[in-house]
Amino acid sequence: MAVRLVALDLDGTALMGHRIFSERMRRAVQDALKAGILVVPATGRSYVDIPEAVRSVPGIPCFLTSNGANIVDGTGKSICTDLIPWVWGVRALRILEGYDAQPSVHMNGASVNLKTADPRIVARYGNSDYFKRHSVEDLAGYVEEQKTDVEKIFAVLFERERKAELTARITSELSLGVSASGPDNIELNSLTASKGHGLSMLCEQFGIEAAQTAAVGDSINDISMFAFAGCSVAMGNAEACLKEMAGYETEACEEDGAAKALERLISGRWK
């Protein structure tokens, strides 16, 4: 069955080094859109954190952000949300304070950081974009003050060996979904928010069958959309579990693997 919608992960997939949207990648997205294939960036990022090079591509119908917790249109207006109650967000952030971690919280389509952002974050992202976000002294206190429900809580973990311990504690104390976009981070969402659920909502909105969708990704937070999509494509740099699930494997991110995957989907080589 021909593909009508492609859910495209960003970091480690369409973005090289977390920030570079190559000319070949941009051209592939534009060619897919011209061919009548909807291309939807499906990311753990908040809408504001999506690079302008991606947001400015004409014709992208919407953006699946914060792991599906906030689906927005081309202007950044929310179409559908699935949020963490702010009270739970406060509790989760207080738990994270007991770990060597750097948290941020997604609210209202944007990210909020601690003012005491750790310099080690630069090593994680390869640049200092992280420090340009809105920042506060006390994230939990800020969420409590705003009383605004949360799209996602993201934390870089500087003690990877404690990730399992932290995950167990979070899930035992709060009904939250736990995923990750890398071995050194943790991502918290509502139990029902996921890229796969977001993709199912888009299918309902656009009148597209699951069998007519494709998902391209590399990390744990892409598992749910791989399980939903009729066609799944793992990056060459993807986690082993994604490669096992995938119907196809493309080249690594640094080799424009996602662009090449789109080109194959457009040509009908992959269905």
Side-chain angles (χ1 to χ4, degrees):
M1 188 173 289
V3 171
R4 295 179 57 197
L5 186 155
V6 177
L8 182 67
D9 176 53
L10 294 183
D11 293 283
T13 299
L15 291 177
M16 299 181 187
H18 300 287
R19 62 191 186 280
I20 298 172
F21 192 61
S22 75
E23 181 55 38
R24 183 170 184 174
M25 186 72 252
R26 181 182 181 87
R27 187 168 60 250
V29 171
Q30 292 176 317
D31 288 347
L33 292 168
K34 289 176 183 176
I37 299 172
L38 300 178
V39 179
V40 177
T43 179
R45 294 182 182 227
S46 71
Y47 175 74
V48 171
D49 287 329
I50 297 173
E52 179 61 24
V54 179
R55 287 192 280 133
S56 65
V57 176
I60 290 180
C62 55
F63 299 82
L64 194 160
T65 72
S66 296
N67 290 337
N70 188 14
I71 300 175
V72 303
D73 64 17
T75 69
K77 181 181 178 181
S78 293
I79 300 171
C80 177
T81 60
D82 188 350
L83 308 178
I84 298 171
W86 68 265
V87 174
W88 289 8
V90 171
R91 288 173 60 187
L93 287 164
R94 292 299 183 205
I95 290 172
L96 281 164
E97 289 174 355
Y99 293 80
D100 187 11
Q102 184 67 48
S104 63
V105 61
H106 294 188
M107 300 166 63
N108 298 320
S111 298
V112 183
N113 289 342
L114 284 171
K115 282 187 177 177
T116 54
D118 196 301
R120 289 174 290 180
I121 293 295
V122 175
R124 167 67 172 80
Y125 289 96
N127 59 45
S128 59
D129 290 351
Y130 188 92
F131 298 97
K132 298 177 183 177
R133 301 173 181 173
H134 177 54
S135 60
V136 297
E137 297 285 356
D138 175 5
L139 270 179
Y142 176 77
V143 173
E144 188 169 24
E145 178 185 316
Q146 297 295 310
K147 292 181 171 54
T148 298
D149 292 341
V150 171
E151 295 173 21
K152 187 183 87 166
I153 295 172
F154 173 84
V156 175
L157 306 177
F158 298 117
E159 297 176 298
R160 296 187 186 186
E161 67 277 7
R162 299 188 69 190
K163 186 172 182 176
E165 171 197 327
L166 174 59
T167 299
R169 183 174 175 191
I170 290 284
T171 54
S172 68
E173 297 186 25
L174 296 165
S175 296
L176 294 177
V178 180
S179 63
S181 55
D184 62 348
N185 64 55
I186 189 169
E187 303 186 351
L188 308 178
N189 285 97
S190 136
L191 271 180
T192 49
S194 70
K195 291 186 181 183
H197 184 255
L199 182 53
S200 73
M201 297 295 288
L202 291 176
C203 283
E204 184 176 327
Q205 177 178 337
F206 293 118
I208 294 174
E209 297 177 24
Q212 296 174 306
T213 66
V216 186
D218 73 308
S219 295
I220 302 299
N221 62 359
D222 297 319
I223 287 177
S224 61
M225 67 177 187
F226 269 43
F228 178 86
C231 174
S232 52
V233 182
M235 300 297 294
N237 51 281
E239 299 275 355
C241 59
L242 267 292
K243 291 184 177 183
E244 291 175 4
M245 293 179 69
Y248 301 98
E249 182 176 334
T250 189
E251 291 82 354
C253 179
E254 300 302 318
E255 301 172 70
D256 261 328
K260 294 172 184 176
L262 271 184
E263 292 162 1
R264 292 164 185 145
L265 289 167
I266 294 167
S267 70
R269 287 173 56 194
W270 288 355
K271 298 181 180 180

